Amino acid sequence: MKANWITNQDGSIYHLHLLPEQIAPLIITVGDPSRVALISDLLDTIECKISSREFVCHTGRLGTKRISILSTGIGTDNIDIVLNEIDALFNVNLLSGKPKEKITSCTIIRLGTSGAIQEDIPMNSLLITEWSIGTDALMNYYQHEEYLVLEEVRTAFKTAGLESLNFHLSCCDAALLDHFKGNDFLVGNTLTAPGFYGPQGRTTRIPNSVPDLIDKLKNVHFKNIGRLTNIEMETSGIYHLGKGLGHRCLSVNAILANRINNSFSEHPEKIIMHMIEKSMSLLENLYHSKLPIFSSHRCKIKF
């Protein structure tokens, strides 16, 4: 198993460079490594700071809660590394490579940035993702539960002229959604793209293969879950891998742009800090040990 679960000379897992005792089961993920310190400054105590490549982790306590803040870098390819290595730190014996008998379920909250793809989603607002539709290829490599709604998703994409896109669908943890919503957070459905430029409809010197992508995405509507609201690059990977591994996940988005209005926030760091402070105040009231296990408390929407 040496080439499957690779460890460093100190016994830490390969990319994150973390030992099992250096990460808490309540985890905030951010894309930008510089935001780790921004959040950990709000902790009451800090136990350790570990840095490896784009992966920076600070672990400490928020009141009585032990919490880790971990940067992921950008994209679902990095999420593949982060989610699997987090899970291995809790649930795999790294010496033998075998799963542990007792499985630990983590709570993973993504605090990230995003762009709205609907005119009425205000710039500088906060949005939590209920359903995520991924157009990346990550989940082609894992067995995962197929929602009955996939045929509806396929039809909605085809109707909007987007039948060429790959997609997969997953949802947040319902208990976390209930804990966050109603606190100045909008609730929406997020498209996760496999890139920032062409995959999000931006133009470069290479012509786009899907003309008017954002306008087409704006018009995608699902009978049971509604419209797409925003676009980013990590959420579907977190939701899919989190669900498959038995972890509770929620994505929180600071809306820094409105792609329909072609506008961008004049004060992005201000709204990012507002998202951080708002989320941290909610996490202080989050009784991690009392949340129902993921497998018995999925999204409440029925198809």
Side-chain angles (χ1 to χ4, degrees):
M1 299 297 290
K2 289 184 178 179
N4 192 79
W5 294 115
I6 304 170
T7 55
N8 302 300
Q9 288 187 349
D10 62 356
S12 61
I13 201 156
Y14 186 56
H15 296 93
L16 301 186
H17 229 292
L18 291 170
L19 295 164
E21 62 268 22
Q22 292 174 325
I23 189 165
L26 176 56
I27 303 162
I28 291 176
T29 68
V30 293
D32 186 347
S34 68
R35 290 192 187 130
V36 173
L38 195 65
I39 300 175
S40 69
D41 282 346
L42 301 176
L43 299 182
D44 298 300
T45 59
I46 296 178
E47 299 173 14
C48 63
K49 297 181 178 181
I50 307 295
S51 179
S52 175
R53 309 184 192 201
E54 63 266 58
F55 309 115
V56 177
C57 183
H58 293 182
T59 296
R61 289 190 179 272
L62 179 66
T64 60
K65 290 182 177 63
R66 191 164 181 259
I67 186 170
S68 291
I69 300 99
L70 174 64
S71 62
T72 65
I74 300 172
T76 56
D77 50 348
N78 272 21
I79 294 302
D80 180 61
I81 292 171
V82 171
L83 264 289
N84 279 297
E85 292 196 2
I86 286 174
D87 182 74
L89 287 166
F90 285 97
N91 297 316
V92 175
N93 183 317
L94 295 179
L95 293 177
S96 68
K98 296 180 180 180
K100 297 177 181 178
E101 290 186 10
K102 182 179 180 182
I103 299 300
T104 297
S105 180
C106 297
T107 295
I108 301 170
I109 311 289
R110 171 191 176 268
L111 300 184
T113 59
S114 184
I117 57 176
Q118 300 291 343
E119 290 177 336
D120 61 337
I121 302 293
M123 197 161 53
N124 299 322
S125 60
L126 301 180
L127 183 145
I128 48 179
T129 301
E130 184 164 16
W131 288 89
S132 179
I133 293 89
T135 56
D136 60 298
L138 176 62
M139 294 312 296
N140 290 347
Y141 299 92
Y142 295 95
Q143 294 182 15
H144 58 281
E145 179 180 292
E146 296 280 4
Y147 283 98
L148 296 177
V149 76
L150 276 181
E151 187 57 42
E152 180 193 321
V153 175
R154 188 175 291 109
T155 299
F157 270 69
K158 184 176 181 179
T159 300
L162 295 168
E163 62 270 17
S164 63
L165 293 185
N166 176 59
F167 60 85
H168 45 267
L169 180 73
S170 192
C171 67
C172 68
D173 178 75
L176 290 175
L177 179 71
D178 288 344
H179 186 75
F180 271 72
K181 71 180 182 182
N183 291 278
D184 298 327
F185 290 98
L186 303 173
V187 178
N189 301 314
T190 299
L191 186 96
T192 295
F196 186 77
Y197 288 96
Q200 293 192 36
R202 292 181 170 90
T203 56
T204 68
R205 293 195 305 112
I206 304 173
N208 290 0
S209 64
V210 184
D212 304 317
L213 175 63
I214 296 300
D215 286 337
K216 289 176 179 176
L217 291 173
K218 172 188 174 182
N219 293 319
V220 172
H221 191 277
F222 310 112
K223 179 180 178 181
N224 288 294
I225 65 176
R227 61 183 183 168
L228 293 172
T229 53
N230 61 304
I231 187 168
E232 50 74 75
M233 294 177 62
E234 290 89 34
T235 298
S236 72
I238 293 172
Y239 282 13
H240 261 292
L241 292 177
K243 182 182 70 170
L245 293 166
H247 304 301
R248 312 172 184 95
C249 301
L250 185 71
S251 178
V252 181
N253 304 270
I255 303 297
L256 298 187
N258 189 298
R259 298 297 308 284
I260 303 300
N261 299 328
N262 197 28
S263 55
F264 190 82
S265 175
E266 295 182 0
H267 307 287
E269 294 305 320
K270 183 177 179 181
I271 183 60
I272 289 169
M273 197 64 213
H274 177 56
M275 171 183 65
I276 290 169
E277 291 173 345
K278 190 77 175 176
S279 299
M280 293 295 278
S281 68
L282 287 168
L283 288 177
E284 285 189 277
N285 298 320
L286 180 65
Y287 293 95
H288 176 267
S289 62
K290 294 184 179 180
L291 280 174
I293 62 171
F294 188 92
S295 59
S296 67
H297 200 77
R298 295 177 180 169
C299 264
K300 294 179 179 178
I301 296 177
K302 303 296 183 183
F303 299 101

